[in-house]
Amino acid sequence: MHPFRKAVENGDMDAVADLLADDVVFTSPVAFKPYPGKAITAAILRGVSRVFRDFTYVREIANPDGRDHAFVFTATVAGKKLQGCDFLHFDENGRIDEFTVMVRPLSAAKALAEAMGAQFEQIAREAAGQ
């Protein structure tokens, strides 16, 4: 099992943050602009862990060189079941430097946007180290 998947499935958000490159860029399924940087990405991922219920990875796909991975998942947010995928690129040091998430269906994406919006003050404080 990939260390990223293991950390997420164990709820070890510190281990997830340790896998992020300092210059990671997080692309959200519900925000227009990407979020650059380790602090904000780690804070967003902690926020997601607070809003997702019944989160499960159902498939892991990797390219032969191991630098690109797709982790397909299911979860529930605000009572809506969703399917999604984490697309990760790893830099030459084995750290995640690109993290893109996609989710479906639209009703679940809207529920996720609402739930994450409610988290964003706390996410901003965490990213600022407060």
Side-chain angles (χ1 to χ4, degrees), residues 10-118:
N10 289 335
D12 188 347
M13 299 315 292
D14 290 336
V16 171
D18 289 343
L19 292 169
L20 300 174
D22 290 338
D23 62 349
V24 63
V25 175
F26 179 81
T27 304
S28 164
V30 296
F32 178 71
K33 292 178 9 180
Y35 295 93
K38 182 175 182 171
I40 189 67
T41 299
I44 290 168
L45 295 175
R46 284 191 297 274
V48 169
S49 74
R50 291 189 294 266
V51 302
F52 275 170
R53 299 289 172 257
D54 306 318
F55 182 89
T56 306
Y57 281 119
V58 296
R59 186 173 301 117
E60 181 178 330
I61 305 162
N63 72 342
D65 72 5
R67 292 192 59 189
D68 289 287
H69 286 260
F71 297 90
V72 181
F73 64 85
T74 59
T76 303
V77 62
K80 303 279 186 187
K81 292 188 183 284
L82 63 80
Q83 293 175 309
C85 191
D86 293 333
F87 295 98
L88 308 181
H89 180 268
F90 292 81
D91 65 16
E92 60 280 350
N93 298 313
R95 300 278 184 248
I96 300 165
D97 61 358
E98 294 175 22
F99 194 128
T100 300
V101 181
M102 294 188 184
V103 297
R104 64 162 305 280
L106 181 58
S107 60
K110 287 180 179 179
L112 177 59
E114 219 173 274
M116 289 303 292

